[in-house]
Amino acid sequence: MFSEKIPLGFTEKSGVKALNKWLLGLVLLLSYGCVGIGNLAGVQVKAYEGPDKPVSELALLLGGPLEVQGLGYVTLAEVDNKVYGNELKGYPDQLLVTPGKHQVKIKCMLGMDYGFLLLDVEVKANSRYRLSCQRALGNTATAQIKELNATDQS
């Protein structure tokens, strides 16, 4: 399992500005389902060059909702400097990659805060990997990658 700290978004919590940011965050969170992650959520995106390959020859990287923290979500923004999605249409939460070493950029959303993190990963064919993040001390988060076994829920 790999873990790294990243800085998150704003921390201001004073008066009207905080209320306005909270309301804006609520509107953005509600619209994520329509405009953001909704378009690519649950879709397996091919993150390699060339013809389609059997799933048994690939590794599946999984983001998605965070089990522990309620309003948390991980999406997969880049693999090996190639971008999959954008801030408007969102990023996928499932990427199919070839076995081997990759650099993966994830978007970690925790409540109204978010940050991006680069992870160096090594994956095997016919395997699934869950990427997750959680709040840490201060205005940071940690990210982890875990290989799932056959009995783990995706």
Side-chain angles (χ1 to χ4, degrees):
M1 185 181 301
F2 181 85
S3 179
E4 185 68 37
K5 286 189 176 183
I6 58 170
L8 292 173
F10 60 86
T11 58
E12 183 177 338
K13 301 202 185 289
S14 62
V16 175
K17 287 183 180 179
L19 178 61
N20 287 342
K21 285 182 178 180
W22 185 86
L23 291 172
L24 176 62
L26 181 61
V27 169
L28 290 174
L29 183 63
L30 293 174
S31 67
Y32 258 116
C34 300
V35 178
I37 59 174
N39 288 344
L40 295 173
V43 176
Q44 290 182 358
V45 175
K46 176 180 143 179
Y48 60 91
E49 300 289 325
D52 290 346
K53 297 181 179 195
V55 175
S56 62
E57 294 179 14
L58 300 169
L60 179 61
L61 303 179
L62 297 164
L66 299 173
E67 298 172 9
V68 181
Q69 298 205 328
L71 290 177
Y73 208 90
V74 170
T75 56
L76 308 157
E78 293 181 19
V79 173
D80 301 328
N81 296 314
K82 182 166 177 165
V83 178
Y84 296 91
N86 60 47
E87 288 294 319
L88 181 59
K89 73 177 182 178
Y91 299 101
D93 59 7
Q94 298 182 31
L95 287 177
L96 290 166
V97 298
T98 55
K101 294 180 180 182
H102 297 282
Q103 188 174 66
V104 180
K105 185 178 198 177
I106 67 169
K107 182 176 182 182
C108 173
M109 294 169 277
L110 296 168
M112 294 186 306
D113 295 330
Y114 73 92
F116 288 89
L117 174 66
L118 285 173
L119 298 170
D120 291 313
V121 301
E122 186 165 2
V123 297
K124 300 181 290 188
N126 204 27
S127 296
R128 298 176 306 142
Y129 299 85
R130 167 75 59 202
L131 291 101
S132 62
C133 60
Q134 63 186 27
R135 271 190 206 285
L137 294 175
N139 195 32
T140 63
T142 59
Q144 301 85 30
I145 182 169
K146 176 186 173 190
E147 183 175 358
L148 301 176
N149 61 43
T151 59
D152 289 328
Q153 298 293 323
S154 59

